[in-house]
């Protein structure tokens, strides 16, 4: 078996993606509850701060900017957990 043939199966790969989405959602919800949500730059910094220690080899990508802008623009709806 070549090292390039070693990878997560589809079920494990999906769980990794689902977990990563949950971390992002939790960070956006946490920032939305603060005054930082009113300013895109502050929201971006807060999102990065919330997520940087949650991932190996963290590099914020364009998605973080997208959600920071959405927070500042009042475009994020927090769903009820009822």
């Amino acid at each position: 078996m070549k090292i390039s043939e070693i990878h997560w199966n589809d079920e494990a790969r999906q769980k990794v993606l689902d977990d990563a989405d949950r971390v992002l959602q939790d960070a956006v919800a946490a920032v939305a509850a603060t005054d930082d949500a009113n300013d895109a730059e502050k929201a971006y910094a807060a999102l990065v701060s919330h997520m940087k220690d949650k991932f190996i080899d963290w590099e914020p990508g364009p998605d973080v900017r997208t959600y920071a802008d959405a927070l500042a623009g009042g475009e994020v709806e927090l769903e009820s957990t009822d």
Side-chain angles (χ1 to χ4, degrees), residues 23-24 26-28 30-31 36 39-55 57-69 71:
V23 167
L24 176 60
D26 290 348
V28 170
V31 174
D36 289 342
D39 178 276
E41 293 306 316
K42 288 180 180 179
Y44 180 85
L47 288 171
V48 169
S49 178
H50 276 274
M51 292 188 291
K52 68 180 180 180
D53 294 331
K54 306 283 192 222
F55 297 98
D57 205 18
W58 164 253
E59 289 290 329
D63 289 349
V64 177
R65 173 62 58 199
T66 297
Y67 297 118
D69 291 344
L71 282 164

Side-chain angles (χ1 to χ4, degrees), residues 1-59:
M1 178 181 299
K2 295 178 184 176
I3 196 73
S4 62
E5 297 172 329
I6 298 170
H7 56 83
W8 297 110
N9 65 39
D10 289 341
E11 184 178 294
R13 184 179 307 271
Q14 187 59 52
K15 180 171 182 338
V16 169
L17 290 173
D18 290 345
D19 290 349
D21 285 346
R22 199 165 341 332
V23 167
L24 176 60
Q25 292 164 1
D26 290 348
V28 170
V31 174
T34 70
D35 290 336
D36 289 342
N38 299 322
D39 178 276
E41 293 306 316
K42 288 180 180 179
Y44 180 85
L47 288 171
V48 169
S49 178
H50 276 274
M51 292 188 291
K52 68 180 180 180
D53 294 331
K54 306 283 192 222
F55 297 98
I56 297 170
D57 205 18
W58 164 253
E59 289 290 329

